[in-house]
């Protein structure tokens, strides 16, 4: 019961940290990241990479485990932070990108084309200083139908907000087996290297993980003048800290109640 309350509180804090207005509530109801474990990706759907190469999705996986990252390249919110966090975590796994896994970033904005993808790649790997920088990473774009087909397969639900002129979408990644089936999900912007490594190695063996707990973090309503993006991330961090304190407090209260019961004199 306590764990359920804490998870609910975490979700509410994250959702309210985006400060939605009354008109936003309908939008938020449509956003989510459903866990379609063992679902098959649309291998025949065509995508274009940052160099202009167009090919079916199957060619980008190339028979290796892959991390699928949906968002968009000119996003003013969390998308660049998710890509940066993922890059750093993967570098700490000790696994060899390209040889042991692929990373497939896909824009959910059909208006974004090769230049936007190339700019996102360049921004992420600036200063790497080697020709192998970003090896195994693909930055893909596609038409609306291919994007929708892929997003539906992995349970990625998003909408375009015509007021803010931004896409509203969840933050997270899906790990995909060489067969093209969804094997595991990671939600938010933090990807522990040990968990990533284990997931990629298990996925390489064809193992499908169990559903994981979700803390929905939305990419929505950024205003650089008011610093709402920083406030959102900060609020999430503070929320997680508060939840930890609440959990510890609940644990202490339970221990004290048990202690009082053992001290009651026998009648």
């Amino acid at each position: 019961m306590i764990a359920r309350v804490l998870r609910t509180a975490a979700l509410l804090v994250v959702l309210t940290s985006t400060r939605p207005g009354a008109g936003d509530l309908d939008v938020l109801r449509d956003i989510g990241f459903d866990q379609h474990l063992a679902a098959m990706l649309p291998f025949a759907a065509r995508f274009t990479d940052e160099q202009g190469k167009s090919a079916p999705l199957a060619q980008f996986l190339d028979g290796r485990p892959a991390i699928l990252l949906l968002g968009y390249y000119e996003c003013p919110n969390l998308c660049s932070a998710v890509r940066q966090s993922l890059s750093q975590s993967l570098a700490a796994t000790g696994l060899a990108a390209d040889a042991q896994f692929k990373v497939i970033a896909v824009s959910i904005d059909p208006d974004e084309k090769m230049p936007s993808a190339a700019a996102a790649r360049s921004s992420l790997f600036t200063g790497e200083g080697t020709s192998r920088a970003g090896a195994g990473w693909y930055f893909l774009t596609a038409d609306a139908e291919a994007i929708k087909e892929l997003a539906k397969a992995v349970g990625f639900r998003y909408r375009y907000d015509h007021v803010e002129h931004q896409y509203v979408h969840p933050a997270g990644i899906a790990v995909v087996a060489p067969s093209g089936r969804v094997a595991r999900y990671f939600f938010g912007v933090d990807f522990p290297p040990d968990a990533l490594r284990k997931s990629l190695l298990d996925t390489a063996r064809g193992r499908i993980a169990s559903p994981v707990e979700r803390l929905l973090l939305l990419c929505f309503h950024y205003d650089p003048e008011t610093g709402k993006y920083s406030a959102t991330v900060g609020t999430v961090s503070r929320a997680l800290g508060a939840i930890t304190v609440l959990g510890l407090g609940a644990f202490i209260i339970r221990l004290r109640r048990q202690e009082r019961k053992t001290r009651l004199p026998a009648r």
Side-chain angles (χ1 to χ4, degrees):
M1 180 64 181
I2 292 174
R4 184 180 301 172
V5 171
L6 294 178
R7 288 197 298 270
T8 302
L11 177 58
L12 289 174
V13 171
V14 172
L15 289 176
T16 55
S17 71
T18 58
R19 301 178 186 176
D24 297 329
L25 296 179
D26 290 337
V27 174
L28 295 180
R29 277 194 288 267
D30 293 338
I31 312 306
F33 208 164
D34 306 320
Q35 299 184 61
H36 292 178
L37 292 167
M40 191 74 183
L41 298 191
F43 266 2
R46 296 191 70 87
F47 292 83
T48 301
D49 70 11
E50 71 279 5
Q51 297 180 348
K53 172 188 173 183
S54 178
L57 183 61
Q59 289 191 20
F60 294 107
L61 267 72
D62 194 27
R64 293 174 176 81
I67 292 175
L68 181 64
L69 172 60
L70 280 75
Y72 63 113
Y73 303 126
E74 297 182 14
C75 170
N77 286 330
L78 293 175
C79 290
S80 60
V82 171
R83 290 192 293 268
Q84 184 66 42
S85 175
L86 178 60
S87 175
Q88 292 173 350
S89 293
L90 287 171
T93 62
L95 299 177
D98 199 22
Q100 293 180 277
F101 66 88
K102 304 282 189 178
V103 180
I104 300 177
V106 178
S107 172
I108 58 175
D109 183 355
D111 291 332
E112 289 191 328
K113 305 300 180 185
M114 184 187 74
S116 296
R121 179 188 182 89
S122 177
S123 175
L124 182 61
F125 296 109
T126 296
E128 295 289 340
T130 72
S131 60
R132 294 289 296 167
W137 283 68
Y138 296 102
F139 293 75
L140 307 184
T141 58
D143 61 31
E145 288 306 312
I147 294 168
K148 289 178 181 178
E149 189 177 3
L150 177 61
K152 183 178 180 180
V154 298
F156 189 88
R157 294 186 285 113
Y158 62 96
R159 275 186 58 178
Y160 184 73
D161 178 38
H162 293 279
V163 176
E164 296 286 335
H165 304 291
Q166 297 177 16
Y167 281 90
V168 190
H169 65 86
I173 61 175
V175 182
V176 181
S179 63
R181 295 193 181 277
V182 179
R184 176 164 176 174
Y185 289 86
F186 289 82
F187 299 108
V189 298
D190 181 40
F191 312 107
D194 289 345
L196 267 182
R197 175 185 172 84
K198 183 179 186 304
S199 180
L200 286 167
L201 292 176
D202 285 348
T203 301
R205 302 183 184 101
R207 296 176 183 171
I208 305 297
S210 301
V212 297
E213 292 290 338
R214 287 185 294 180
L215 178 62
L216 185 63
L217 182 59
L218 300 184
C219 197
F220 187 35
H221 282 192
Y222 175 70
D223 185 348
E225 293 184 1
T226 62
K228 190 178 290 185
Y229 164 67
S230 298
T232 298
V233 175
T235 301
V236 172
S237 299
R238 289 192 295 272
L240 293 176
I243 290 165
T244 301
V245 173
L246 286 172
L248 181 59
F251 179 70
I252 292 173
I253 290 172
R254 186 169 61 181
L255 287 180
R256 294 194 65 179
R257 286 177 177 174
Q258 291 177 346
E259 183 181 1
R260 280 199 297 268
K261 288 180 180 179
T262 59
R263 288 180 178 178
L264 288 175
R267 294 183 180 180

